[in-house]
Amino acid sequence: MEILLIITLMLFATVVIVAISDRFGLPWPVLITLVAASAFFFPSLPLLHIPAEMMLPIFLPPLLWALARRTSWAAIRSQWVTVVSLSVLLVLVSAVAAAGVALWMLPPIGIAGALVLGAAVAPPDPVAVDAVAEPAGVPRRLTGTLQIEGLFNDAASIVVFHLALAALTAGEKLSLVGGISAFLYSSIMAVGVGWLIGYGSAKLIDWMNSTVARNAFTWVIPFATYVLAEEIHASGVIAIVIAAVELNSRVKVGAEDRLTGHAFWETVEMLFTGVAFGLIGLSVRDAVEEVGAELVHAVVLGVVISAVLIAVRFGWMWVFYQINVRKGNRGLAPLRLQEVLLLTWAGMRGLVTLALVLSIPSDSFPMHHQLAVVALVVLLLTMVIPGLTLPWLMRKLDLDKGPDAQGDHAREQLRKRAYDKAMDVIAEHDGEIPADMIEGMRVWFAEQQHIGDHGTSAAEHRHETIVEFRKQMSAVRIQALEAAQNELLQARREPGVDPAVVDEVLHSVDQMIVAANRH
């Protein structure tokens, strides 16, 4: 009963924190981190011990799935340079740099122990970045780069982490060739597993009639994908991303499914993140108590590693910026020095960092508690401080001059495509329906194009707008909306189109379809 009470309190606290963050324009992952860290000052709180081997399987699958379902194959193909440069190479360089600092300042940790720590603190947290970037007004093109980076960077860090952990706990030797081979095997097998599960799951969802069952099935898929991939020593992270993208590119669901699925996964992401940070906060409190006299040294090490990680990320982004400018890669980021600064500051560590450190078996590595303290310090310095100062940085930097900074041009183009396709369907029925009604429908569609800009979402508004139309108009209206919907779904699969912007416009069209069907 005590465990149930604690988890219930964490869920309640998460909802309250998100509500406060939304009202005051603050990043909720940062507030949750601060609340979780404050558990240290309440020693009377009961401690929940999570088995080390269960940290990642419990929390990583749903959070990764929630993020990966927002992208598309076209977006990944167009950003493959970002995936290789930021998700793999930058993570490896950051892990080695952090490991070098750890080995220099804490020699007893050994090379394997240093790499374990380096791999844990190397990847930025996509969930934290996504939640912080939007309220701060980060341009859509930069947010897209951060999201693509966050999809795969955990995979590179986890492979390095497990290789170093095996050397640490089992006495195995670290091998560069073995590490590369393991990474290639893990990645290739994960792609195969993810594709098969995504393809098969899409077919099964298409067969289901129940919206509830379809949404519930998407909850099961990420866990099943992770477990199956890990059982054959493949990357569960990559498998989940591939499965999510493949499923969402193939599944044929209607407007109601997309609306309910969006709401469902937004809720899952919020509550899971809150509980994860709460449980991790209680675990870190135990680590701080256990580290004893080494606390100050662990904090100093965390500060130095944080500074090194920020410096490495800035240097890498600056080189990436120079390459983009010379090659004219207008669709990539960064393209200006201001964007280098923003992308550097947005490299926030989060859940994966603490989860990896806390997954180290404490009985096989005596310095386990020190690593947990170091990870907490890195988390505070690379997520809490950047998260709170990012809105201020956005006001100081001139980022609105980049190409379609906020995605407004892309959004307008998509709306026009959807509108034109709907008008084509209406034109096909010219002569069957009185001309004044045809003209009234055209006016109604034109008004609905920008309904999402003003936050007007109630179905009652649309109902009042169309109530004067006769029943014979309903079939044509729905047919036109479905044509607009199909055009947007087609655009989502096209290279150079931001799937997040498509989803914004598609959300409005889906709302209109649901309202029209109910009417």
Side-chain angles (χ1 to χ4, degrees):
M1 186 60 69
E2 187 179 70
I3 294 176
L4 180 60
L5 176 61
I6 293 173
I7 293 178
T8 302
L9 288 174
M10 288 178 181
L11 291 171
F12 176 74
T14 300
V15 174
V16 172
I17 290 170
V18 171
I20 293 173
S21 301
D22 185 61
R23 180 166 290 274
F24 294 100
L26 297 172
W28 61 266
V30 172
L31 294 188
I32 288 178
T33 303
L34 291 174
V35 171
S38 68
F40 173 71
F41 300 102
F42 299 93
S44 59
L45 288 175
L47 182 63
L48 296 181
H49 288 283
I50 306 173
E53 68 276 5
M54 294 301 296
M55 288 296 302
L56 293 178
I58 290 176
F59 296 114
L60 205 54
L63 295 177
L64 266 177
W65 185 274
L67 184 70
R69 64 191 296 274
R70 301 172 193 167
T71 191
S72 65
W73 285 126
I76 292 175
R77 283 194 296 268
S78 64
Q79 294 265 16
W80 70 269
V81 175
T82 300
V83 172
V84 175
S85 177
L86 303 186
S87 299
V88 180
L89 298 180
L90 177 56
V91 167
L92 295 178
V93 171
S94 299
V96 172
V101 172
L103 195 60
W104 169 55
M105 296 186 64
L106 196 64
I109 196 174
I111 296 177
L115 276 176
V116 164
L117 177 61
V121 300
D125 185 352
V127 176
V129 170
D130 197 49
V132 172
E134 185 176 350
V138 175
R140 185 51 243 166
R141 183 169 53 85
L142 302 185
T143 304
T145 297
L146 291 169
Q147 288 174 337
I148 291 293
E149 175 191 6
L151 286 176
F152 296 98
N153 58 10
D154 291 341
S157 65
I158 289 173
V159 169
V160 176
F161 178 86
H162 283 315
L163 288 173
L165 186 61
L168 185 67
T169 58
E172 300 176 5
K173 289 186 178 182
L174 286 169
S175 167
L176 179 61
V177 175
I180 295 174
S181 300
F183 180 75
L184 291 176
Y185 169 83
S186 175
S187 302
I188 293 171
M189 293 299 293
V191 169
V193 169
W195 184 86
L196 286 173
I197 291 179
Y199 180 86
S201 298
K203 296 297 183 183
L204 186 55
I205 288 176
D206 289 340
W207 174 79
M208 296 179 183
N209 290 324
S210 169
T211 297
V212 175
R214 286 193 288 260
N215 281 330
F217 185 51
T218 63
W219 166 257
V220 177
I221 298 171
F223 292 100
T225 303
Y226 186 89
V227 171
L228 179 59
E230 292 293 326
E231 280 295 312
I232 61 173
H233 305 291
S235 170
V237 172
I238 295 178
I240 289 173
V241 172
I242 298 299
V245 177
E246 177 64 15
L247 184 146
N248 281 284
S249 68
R250 288 188 178 273
V251 71
K252 300 174 183 177
V253 295
E256 187 173 358
D257 281 279
R258 272 192 300 275
L259 292 174
T260 57
H262 175 78
F264 174 77
W265 277 103
E266 288 284 312
T267 304
V268 166
E269 185 176 13
M270 179 187 73
L271 294 178
F272 247 71
T273 301
V275 172
F277 273 108
L279 293 176
I280 286 173
L282 294 176
S283 301
V284 171
R285 185 197 69 187
D286 182 50
V288 172
E289 292 173 353
E290 291 289 335
V291 77
E294 298 296 327
L295 178 61
V296 174
H297 190 267
V299 170
V300 172
L301 178 57
V303 171
V304 175
I305 286 179
S306 299
V308 169
L309 290 173
I310 293 172
V312 168
R313 186 173 178 85
F314 175 80
W316 196 273
M317 288 295 178
W318 188 84
V319 172
F320 202 30
Y321 148 67
Q322 295 291 334
I323 294 173
N324 286 340
V325 171
R326 289 177 183 175
K327 292 190 174 182
N329 297 328
R330 303 293 293 170
L332 301 179
L335 294 176
R336 303 163 63 207
L337 187 57
Q338 292 96 323
E339 295 179 4
V340 172
L341 294 174
L342 183 97
L343 291 175
T344 299
W345 204 232
M348 306 172 195
R349 273 62 184 178
L351 178 63
V352 171
T353 291
L354 281 177
L356 283 175
V357 169
L358 293 177
S359 69
I360 303 172
S362 56
D363 56 350
S364 59
F365 188 52
M367 304 181 74
H368 166 265
H369 296 302
Q370 286 177 264
L371 299 192
V373 174
V374 171
L376 178 62
V377 173
V378 171
L379 184 78
L380 291 173
L381 294 180
T382 61
M383 186 177 82
V384 174
I385 294 177
L388 293 176
T389 57
L390 197 60
W392 172 84
L393 184 63
M394 279 297 302
R395 290 193 296 270
K396 295 297 180 181
L397 296 177
D398 182 20
L399 294 173
D400 289 332
K401 292 183 179 178
D404 198 18
Q406 300 297 339
D408 294 332
H409 179 64
R411 197 174 291 107
E412 281 304 310
Q413 283 188 321
L414 289 168
R415 283 179 175 147
K416 186 178 185 306
R417 282 181 62 172
Y419 175 77
D420 290 345
K421 187 61 65 173
M423 291 303 99
D424 289 344
V425 172
I426 292 175
E428 292 174 2
H429 295 271
D430 196 6
E432 302 175 13
I433 299 172
D436 58 334
M437 292 186 177
I438 289 287
E439 182 59 28
M441 186 175 292
R442 287 197 178 101
V443 171
W444 181 80
F445 269 101
E447 290 174 351
Q448 300 307 306
Q449 276 200 95
H450 300 283
I451 197 168
D453 292 340
H454 309 291
T456 307
S457 60
E460 291 81 5
H461 173 73
R462 299 192 187 96
H463 181 74
E464 292 170 2
T465 305
I466 63 174
V467 70
E468 68 274 10
F469 290 107
R470 298 176 183 176
K471 289 183 179 181
Q472 67 185 100
M473 301 291 291
S474 297
V476 179
R477 182 174 59 250
I478 293 172
Q479 191 178 351
L481 284 168
E482 288 175 347
Q485 176 192 72
N486 292 332
E487 184 69 14
L488 291 171
L489 291 173
Q490 174 61 35
R492 202 179 191 278
R493 294 189 287 269
E494 295 173 2
V497 176
D498 189 337
V501 177
V502 176
D503 290 343
E504 284 183 34
V505 182
L506 185 59
H507 189 78
S508 297
V509 175
D510 285 341
Q511 286 180 320
M512 286 187 273
I513 290 176
V514 171
N517 280 318
R518 287 175 180 172
H519 175 70

